[in-house]
Amino acid sequence: MNKILILGGTSEASALASAVAKRGLPAIFSYAGRVATPKPQPLPTRIGGFGGVSGLAAFVARERITHIVDATHPFAAQMSTNAVAAAAQCGVKVIAFTRPAWRPVDGDQWQSVASIDEAVSALAAPPQRVLLAIGRMHLAAFATQPQHHYMLRLVDPPTSPLPLADVSTVIDRGPFTLEGDLALLETQGIQRIVCKNSGGEGAASKLTAARMLGLPIVMIERPALPPRHEVHRIDDVLTWLSECP
Protein backbone atom coordinates (compact mmCIF):
# COMPACT_ATOMS: atom_id res chain seq x y z
CA MET A 1 0.00 0.00 0.00
CA ASN A 2 1.17 3.53 -0.78
CA LYS A 3 2.20 5.74 2.14
CA ILE A 4 2.75 9.49 1.88
CA LEU A 5 5.17 11.78 3.71
CA ILE A 6 4.05 15.43 3.61
CA LEU A 7 6.85 17.84 4.44
CA GLY A 8 4.80 20.73 5.77
CA GLY A 9 4.87 24.08 7.46
CA THR A 10 2.78 26.11 5.02
CA SER A 11 -0.95 26.79 4.80
CA GLU A 12 -0.95 24.86 1.53
CA ALA A 13 0.52 21.84 3.32
CA SER A 14 -2.27 21.99 5.90
CA ALA A 15 -4.90 22.15 3.17
CA LEU A 16 -3.29 19.16 1.48
CA ALA A 17 -3.26 17.23 4.77
CA SER A 18 -7.01 17.77 5.11
CA ALA A 19 -7.60 16.56 1.56
CA VAL A 20 -5.44 13.49 2.09
CA ALA A 21 -7.13 12.70 5.42
CA LYS A 22 -10.63 13.00 3.88
CA ARG A 23 -9.66 10.42 1.29
CA GLY A 24 -8.34 8.05 3.95
CA LEU A 25 -4.87 7.91 2.40
CA PRO A 26 -2.13 6.68 4.76
CA ALA A 27 0.20 9.60 5.41
CA ILE A 28 2.54 11.26 7.90
CA PHE A 29 2.79 15.03 8.29
CA SER A 30 6.19 16.47 9.22
CA TYR A 31 6.94 19.88 10.75
CA ALA A 32 10.44 21.32 10.90
CA GLY A 33 9.75 22.56 14.43
CA ARG A 34 10.47 26.27 13.93
CA VAL A 35 7.14 27.36 15.44
CA ALA A 36 6.38 26.78 19.12
CA THR A 37 2.70 25.99 18.56
CA PRO A 38 2.26 24.41 15.11
CA LYS A 39 -1.21 24.03 13.71
CA PRO A 40 -2.76 20.62 14.55
CA GLN A 41 -3.13 18.32 11.57
CA PRO A 42 -5.66 15.55 10.79
CA LEU A 43 -2.78 13.12 10.16
CA PRO A 44 -0.13 11.46 12.33
CA THR A 45 2.42 14.21 12.89
CA ARG A 46 6.12 14.39 13.66
CA ILE A 47 8.09 17.52 14.58
CA GLY A 48 11.79 18.19 14.07
CA GLY A 49 14.58 17.70 11.57
CA PHE A 50 15.60 14.37 10.06
CA GLY A 51 19.36 14.73 10.22
CA GLY A 52 20.19 15.48 6.61
CA VAL A 53 19.72 13.28 3.57
CA SER A 54 20.78 10.10 5.36
CA GLY A 55 18.36 10.71 8.23
CA LEU A 56 15.48 11.44 5.88
CA ALA A 57 16.29 8.37 3.78
CA ALA A 58 16.38 6.22 6.93
CA PHE A 59 12.97 7.58 7.99
CA VAL A 60 11.51 6.92 4.54
CA ALA A 61 12.77 3.35 4.62
CA ARG A 62 11.68 2.70 8.23
CA GLU A 63 8.16 4.05 7.67
CA ARG A 64 7.89 2.45 4.22
CA ILE A 65 7.13 5.78 2.58
CA THR A 66 6.34 5.49 -1.14
CA HIS A 67 5.58 9.14 -1.99
CA ILE A 68 7.13 12.38 -0.66
CA VAL A 69 5.23 15.64 -1.08
CA ASP A 70 7.47 18.62 -0.41
CA ALA A 71 5.06 21.34 0.73
CA THR A 72 7.65 23.29 2.72
CA HIS A 73 8.22 27.03 2.53
CA PRO A 74 9.74 28.15 -0.80
CA PHE A 75 12.85 29.28 1.12
CA ALA A 76 13.37 25.94 2.90
CA ALA A 77 16.04 25.20 0.31
CA GLN A 78 18.00 22.65 2.34
CA MET A 79 14.93 20.56 3.14
CA SER A 80 13.77 20.64 -0.48
CA THR A 81 17.24 19.65 -1.70
CA ASN A 82 17.36 16.82 0.84
CA ALA A 83 13.91 15.59 -0.22
CA VAL A 84 15.03 15.19 -3.84
CA ALA A 85 18.24 13.43 -2.81
CA ALA A 86 16.56 11.10 -0.30
CA ALA A 87 13.84 10.16 -2.78
CA ALA A 88 16.46 9.24 -5.36
CA GLN A 89 18.43 7.26 -2.77
CA CYS A 90 15.35 5.31 -1.66
CA GLY A 91 13.78 4.93 -5.08
CA VAL A 92 10.52 6.65 -4.09
CA LYS A 93 8.44 9.29 -5.83
CA VAL A 94 8.73 12.99 -4.92
CA ILE A 95 6.74 16.07 -5.93
CA ALA A 96 6.87 19.71 -4.84
CA PHE A 97 3.60 21.41 -3.96
CA THR A 98 4.51 25.08 -4.13
CA ARG A 99 3.03 28.55 -4.33
CA PRO A 100 3.56 30.47 -7.57
CA ALA A 101 6.08 33.27 -7.02
CA TRP A 102 4.85 36.84 -6.81
CA ARG A 103 5.39 39.09 -9.80
CA PRO A 104 5.45 42.90 -9.73
CA VAL A 105 2.56 44.80 -11.31
CA ASP A 106 2.07 48.43 -12.28
CA GLY A 107 2.61 50.68 -9.29
CA ASP A 108 4.97 48.33 -7.43
CA GLN A 109 8.34 49.68 -6.35
CA TRP A 110 10.37 46.50 -6.01
CA GLN A 111 14.11 46.17 -5.69
CA SER A 112 14.76 42.49 -6.39
CA VAL A 113 17.78 40.96 -4.66
CA ALA A 114 19.17 37.43 -4.70
CA SER A 115 20.03 36.91 -1.04
CA ILE A 116 19.75 38.10 2.55
CA ASP A 117 23.18 39.75 2.22
CA GLU A 118 22.01 41.75 -0.80
CA ALA A 119 18.89 42.80 1.11
CA VAL A 120 21.08 44.07 3.95
CA SER A 121 23.20 46.03 1.48
CA ALA A 122 20.05 47.55 -0.04
CA LEU A 123 19.34 49.17 3.34
CA ALA A 124 22.54 51.23 3.30
CA ALA A 125 20.56 54.48 3.52
CA PRO A 126 19.43 57.09 6.05
CA PRO A 127 17.29 55.83 8.97
CA GLN A 128 13.85 54.51 8.14
CA ARG A 129 11.12 52.46 9.77
CA VAL A 130 11.43 49.06 8.09
CA LEU A 131 9.00 46.15 8.17
CA LEU A 132 11.31 43.16 8.17
CA ALA A 133 9.02 40.35 6.99
CA ILE A 134 11.55 37.53 6.72
CA GLY A 135 10.89 35.35 9.77
CA ARG A 136 13.45 35.20 12.56
CA MET A 137 16.27 33.04 11.18
CA HIS A 138 18.32 35.78 9.51
CA LEU A 139 17.62 38.78 11.72
CA ALA A 140 21.22 39.07 12.93
CA ALA A 141 22.41 39.95 9.42
CA PHE A 142 20.48 43.24 9.58
CA ALA A 143 22.34 44.33 12.71
CA THR A 144 24.98 45.71 10.34
CA GLN A 145 22.43 48.39 9.35
CA PRO A 146 21.60 49.62 12.89
CA GLN A 147 20.37 53.05 11.81
CA HIS A 148 16.87 51.72 11.07
CA HIS A 149 13.95 50.90 13.33
CA TYR A 150 12.92 47.37 12.46
CA MET A 151 9.40 46.10 12.99
CA LEU A 152 8.90 42.33 13.03
CA ARG A 153 5.69 40.35 12.66
CA LEU A 154 6.24 37.00 14.38
CA VAL A 155 4.11 33.93 15.00
CA ASP A 156 5.52 33.36 18.50
CA PRO A 157 6.72 35.91 21.09
CA PRO A 158 10.53 36.05 21.29
CA THR A 159 11.98 33.91 24.08
CA SER A 160 15.40 35.60 23.99
CA PRO A 161 16.69 39.09 23.10
CA LEU A 162 16.45 39.92 19.42
CA PRO A 163 19.75 40.70 17.63
CA LEU A 164 18.67 44.19 16.52
CA ALA A 165 19.33 47.41 18.41
CA ASP A 166 16.10 49.22 17.53
CA VAL A 167 13.23 46.77 17.10
CA SER A 168 9.55 46.26 17.87
CA THR A 169 7.35 43.22 17.36
CA VAL A 170 3.79 42.35 16.48
CA ILE A 171 2.67 38.80 17.27
CA ASP A 172 0.28 37.52 14.63
CA ARG A 173 -0.31 34.52 12.41
CA GLY A 174 -1.46 34.71 8.79
CA PRO A 175 -3.31 34.69 6.54
CA PHE A 176 -3.40 38.48 6.71
CA THR A 177 -5.91 40.93 5.24
CA LEU A 178 -5.44 44.06 3.16
CA GLU A 179 -7.26 46.15 5.77
CA GLY A 180 -5.06 44.79 8.53
CA ASP A 181 -1.84 45.34 6.61
CA LEU A 182 -2.81 48.87 5.61
CA ALA A 183 -3.53 49.67 9.25
CA LEU A 184 -0.24 48.08 10.35
CA LEU A 185 1.87 49.99 7.83
CA GLU A 186 0.16 53.30 8.54
CA THR A 187 0.03 53.13 12.34
CA GLN A 188 3.65 51.94 12.53
CA GLY A 189 4.83 54.60 10.08
CA ILE A 190 6.55 52.00 7.89
CA GLN A 191 8.67 53.49 5.11
CA ARG A 192 10.16 50.36 3.52
CA ILE A 193 9.45 46.62 3.49
CA VAL A 194 11.93 43.77 3.24
CA CYS A 195 10.36 40.41 2.43
CA LYS A 196 10.95 37.06 0.78
CA ASN A 197 9.18 36.11 -2.43
CA SER A 198 7.12 33.46 -0.67
CA GLY A 199 4.23 33.63 -3.12
CA GLY A 200 0.68 32.57 -2.41
CA GLU A 201 -2.26 34.53 -1.04
CA GLY A 202 -1.74 34.32 2.72
CA ALA A 203 0.95 37.01 2.88
CA ALA A 204 0.30 38.89 -0.38
CA SER A 205 -1.81 41.65 1.18
CA LYS A 206 1.28 43.53 2.33
CA LEU A 207 2.31 43.90 -1.32
CA THR A 208 -1.02 45.48 -2.24
CA ALA A 209 -0.90 47.69 0.84
CA ALA A 210 2.61 48.83 -0.06
CA ARG A 211 1.48 49.62 -3.61
CA MET A 212 -1.46 51.67 -2.31
CA LEU A 213 0.78 53.60 0.08
CA GLY A 214 3.63 54.06 -2.40
CA LEU A 215 6.14 52.14 -0.26
CA PRO A 216 9.26 50.53 -1.73
CA ILE A 217 9.92 46.82 -1.21
CA VAL A 218 13.23 44.98 -1.10
CA MET A 219 12.17 41.60 -2.51
CA ILE A 220 14.41 38.61 -1.82
CA GLU A 221 13.98 36.17 -4.69
CA ARG A 222 13.77 32.42 -4.23
CA PRO A 223 16.84 30.20 -3.92
CA ALA A 224 17.89 27.83 -6.67
CA LEU A 225 16.74 24.22 -6.19
CA PRO A 226 17.46 20.88 -7.91
CA PRO A 227 15.22 19.93 -10.84
CA ARG A 228 11.95 18.43 -9.58
CA HIS A 229 8.31 17.92 -10.54
CA GLU A 230 6.41 20.94 -9.23
CA VAL A 231 2.67 21.67 -9.04
CA HIS A 232 0.59 24.48 -7.53
CA ARG A 233 -2.83 22.89 -6.87
CA ILE A 234 -4.05 20.23 -4.44
CA ASP A 235 -5.90 18.46 -7.26
CA ASP A 236 -2.63 18.13 -9.14
CA VAL A 237 -0.98 16.51 -6.11
CA LEU A 238 -3.91 14.08 -5.70
CA THR A 239 -3.79 13.21 -9.40
CA TRP A 240 -0.06 12.57 -9.14
CA LEU A 241 -0.61 10.32 -6.11
CA SER A 242 -3.18 8.26 -8.01
CA GLU A 243 -1.18 8.05 -11.24
CA CYS A 244 2.25 7.31 -9.75
CA PRO A 245 1.85 4.07 -7.82
Side-chain angles (χ1 to χ4, degrees):
M1 180 180 292
N2 292 339
K3 190 174 182 182
I4 307 157
L5 173 62
I6 300 175
L7 303 174
T10 61
S11 58
E12 290 81 6
S14 295
L16 175 63
S18 295
V20 166
K22 286 179 181 178
R23 284 160 178 78
L25 303 177
I28 298 174
F29 192 96
S30 178
Y31 276 117
R34 302 197 185 282
V35 176
T37 55
K39 181 179 178 180
Q41 299 296 334
L43 297 171
T45 300
R46 67 171 301 280
I47 298 176
F50 291 96
V53 175
S54 60
L56 177 55
F59 180 87
V60 166
R62 183 171 64 252
E63 295 293 334
R64 300 189 178 187
I65 299 297
T66 59
H67 295 72
I68 300 174
V69 181
D70 178 6
T72 58
H73 192 277
F75 281 78
Q78 191 61 64
M79 186 70 256
S80 294
T81 299
N82 291 352
V84 172
Q89 183 174 319
C90 295
V92 303
K93 309 291 186 181
V94 62
I95 194 171
F97 176 35
T98 67
R99 313 163 178 171
W102 293 321
R103 299 286 180 240
V105 300
D106 287 347
D108 284 333
Q109 300 179 45
W110 288 15
Q111 179 180 355
S112 291
V113 297
S115 65
I116 292 288
D117 288 344
E118 287 190 18
V120 172
S121 297
L123 295 184
Q128 289 186 311
R129 294 181 64 84
V130 178
L131 173 61
L132 199 54
I134 62 166
R136 64 175 69 194
M137 284 187 62
H138 302 287
L139 296 179
F142 290 86
T144 60
Q145 301 286 4
Q147 71 273 29
H148 303 299
H149 173 84
Y150 294 102
M151 201 203 77
L152 313 178
R153 182 160 58 186
L154 304 175
V155 174
D156 299 309
T159 57
S160 58
L162 295 168
L164 299 169
D166 188 3
V167 61
S168 59
T169 61
V170 172
I171 308 304
D172 199 1
R173 186 193 295 263
F176 304 107
T177 66
L178 176 57
E179 294 77 10
D181 279 353
L182 280 170
L184 179 71
L185 297 177
E186 291 184 308
T187 58
Q188 295 292 330
I190 299 301
Q191 297 167 286
R192 185 177 296 268
I193 298 172
V194 179
C195 66
K196 296 177 177 179
N197 196 334
S198 301
E201 299 298 324
S205 55
K206 64 178 172 287
L207 309 181
T208 305
R211 187 184 314 125
M212 293 172 66
L213 297 174
L215 301 182
I217 295 176
V218 177
M219 182 65 73
I220 305 168
E221 299 299 344
R222 297 181 177 187
L225 293 171
R228 57 189 186 160
H229 183 31
E230 189 170 317
V231 296
H232 303 310
R233 302 186 311 142
I234 288 177
D235 286 349
D236 293 333
V237 178
L238 296 175
T239 298
W240 174 79
L241 289 170
S242 66
E243 293 179 352
C244 294

